[in-house]
Amino acid sequence: MRKIRLGVSELEVPVVAVGCMRINQLQPKEAEQFVQTALDLGANFFDHADIYGGGACEEIFAQAIHMNDRVREKVILQSKCGIREGRYDFSKEHILNSVDGILRRLRTDYLDVLLLHRPDALVEPEEVAEAFDILYSTGKVRYFGVSNHKPMQIELLKKYVRQPILANQLQLSIMHAYMISNGMNVNMDVPAAYDRDGSVLDYCRLHEITIQPWSPFLYGFFEGVFVGNEKFPTLNAKMDEIGARYGVTKTTLAIAWLLRHPAKMQPVVGTTNLQRLKDCVTAAEVNLTRKEWYEIYLAAGNTLP
């Protein structure tokens, strides 16, 4: 598996991250096979969150991988915290308690990466900084990042937080490419020109923050998968055409399209289907041409000014 550095750190990670949000839908033997398949493919970066399955996904993962010290050395674990029922919470107390729960469920002494899950309107960055300092100094968390954050929200955190922000997990796919479209429709009176995120793509590139696209196969907000969907015949026909040149599936192309972007992204794939997981990993070996990348972009219904 091809690797990149996560943000400005020395941590080398696979270009495809394995999302574990749906691992609780698998039977124990299926979960074991899923995790082992990922490891066999070189996809040893696993993304979690304390809310996935109400914490059950982390417990199931630890059981499936038969977590022990020897196994722990072979994997990179990332989890997220900050979402609670009916609210967001970046308080020092909640962050610390959340990490303790995550570590207990994953049966490990430390997380490689902790992300703040969604922006908390009541965030007090001084408290976040205190929590990060404690987690870092005690060895419970080695690296830090955010999820679904805009540039100025990151800047606010950086004013107080001493550890570098290495990653920003954001929704991005061929059918949800607003952060890309916005950059090509400067000063245009069209919907694609609307700045929904404060130019977060360019900001992350400037500051060497790794973007981790989530839901790389979905359109809308969890409305459905666009790959093979009859609602999008033009896009799927174009992906079939280009996929035939490389001998790969549309699933592979959906990830290859993200990896072709020079921002050096790390897509988080949430499939628990073993063949689709293999197809996702294969994307690391596909390098689309500029022409092919734009053809796919336009086939998704996007336009150029």
Side-chain angles (χ1 to χ4, degrees):
M1 167 76 80
R2 181 161 56 88
K3 294 185 177 182
I4 58 172
R5 286 187 177 179
L6 191 69
V8 297
S9 76
E10 296 298 314
L11 180 64
E12 290 194 342
V13 299
V15 292
V16 174
V18 180
C20 296
M21 186 173 71
R22 298 180 179 87
I23 197 172
N24 61 329
Q25 298 174 6
L26 301 177
Q27 295 299 314
K29 287 296 183 183
E30 293 174 326
E32 285 186 19
Q33 189 177 13
F34 167 71
V35 172
Q36 188 57 54
T37 298
L39 293 174
D40 291 343
L41 293 169
N44 68 333
F45 187 107
F46 296 94
D47 175 73
H48 296 271
D50 58 0
I51 64 164
Y52 292 166
C57 291
E58 290 169 332
E59 293 179 338
I60 292 168
F61 173 84
Q63 294 167 3
I65 203 170
H66 302 287
M67 184 65 76
N68 57 40
D69 292 344
R70 180 180 55 81
V71 170
R72 182 64 183 91
E73 294 176 356
K74 299 179 180 179
V75 297
I76 302 172
L77 298 181
Q78 171 175 283
S79 195
K80 303 180 284 292
C81 71
I83 297 180
R84 305 183 72 174
E85 185 175 356
R87 66 188 188 279
Y88 302 135
D89 190 344
F90 285 177
S91 66
K92 173 184 174 182
E93 179 183 18
H94 181 68
I95 292 173
L96 294 178
N97 288 339
S98 293
V99 170
D100 284 342
I102 290 167
L103 296 180
R104 184 178 63 254
R105 291 188 294 271
L106 288 175
R107 301 181 191 173
T108 182
D109 295 328
Y110 69 95
L111 278 177
D112 293 287
V113 188
L114 174 71
L115 306 184
L116 299 177
H117 207 157
R118 277 196 177 274
D120 176 10
L122 302 181
V123 62
E124 297 177 77
E126 302 93 333
E127 283 202 32
V128 174
E130 290 178 15
F132 281 13
D133 280 345
I134 292 171
L135 293 171
Y136 183 76
S137 64
T138 57
K140 292 182 178 181
V141 178
R142 296 184 172 179
Y143 302 101
F144 299 86
V146 296
S147 181
N148 306 298
H149 277 57
K150 296 171 70 172
M152 289 302 100
Q153 293 169 328
I154 297 175
E155 284 294 308
L156 179 61
L157 287 173
K158 286 169 63 175
K159 181 179 178 180
Y160 299 91
V161 171
R162 292 191 292 180
Q163 297 77 17
I165 302 298
L166 300 182
N168 190 5
Q169 200 167 110
L170 298 158
Q171 184 177 8
L172 178 62
S173 73
I174 296 169
M175 290 295 301
H176 189 97
Y178 303 114
M179 69 176 71
I180 294 174
S181 299
N182 170 251
M184 291 189 289
N185 285 271
V186 178
N187 199 36
M188 301 296 295
D189 187 19
V190 294
Y194 299 162
D195 186 353
R196 295 171 167 84
D197 51 44
S199 296
V200 70
L201 174 58
D202 293 329
Y203 172 86
C204 288
R205 294 183 71 181
L206 280 168
H207 294 273
E208 297 183 71
I209 296 172
T210 299
I211 292 177
Q212 296 178 332
W214 58 266
S215 291
F217 304 111
L218 297 187
Y219 66 95
F221 187 69
F222 292 103
E223 291 183 39
V225 176
F226 61 82
V227 175
N229 192 326
E230 61 183 12
K231 291 182 179 180
F232 310 106
T234 303
L235 173 59
N236 280 281
K238 177 56 67 174
M239 293 177 76
D240 277 332
E241 174 193 329
I242 295 175
R245 298 175 196 162
Y246 292 92
V248 300
T249 67
K250 292 190 287 289
T251 294
T252 298
L253 276 188
I255 301 301
W257 188 83
L258 293 170
L259 294 179
R260 176 61 180 83
H261 197 280
K264 297 180 181 178
M265 302 179 191
Q266 184 195 29
V268 180
V269 299
T271 182
T272 55
N273 179 284
L274 300 186
Q275 184 56 56
R276 283 198 289 271
L277 179 60
K278 293 175 183 177
D279 290 344
C280 292
V281 171
T282 299
E285 304 167 10
V286 177
N287 188 29
L288 296 173
T289 66
R290 285 177 179 267
K291 183 173 183 291
E292 290 166 340
W293 188 92
Y294 274 102
E295 285 178 345
I296 292 172
Y297 174 79
L298 294 172
N302 299 298
T303 58
L304 298 177

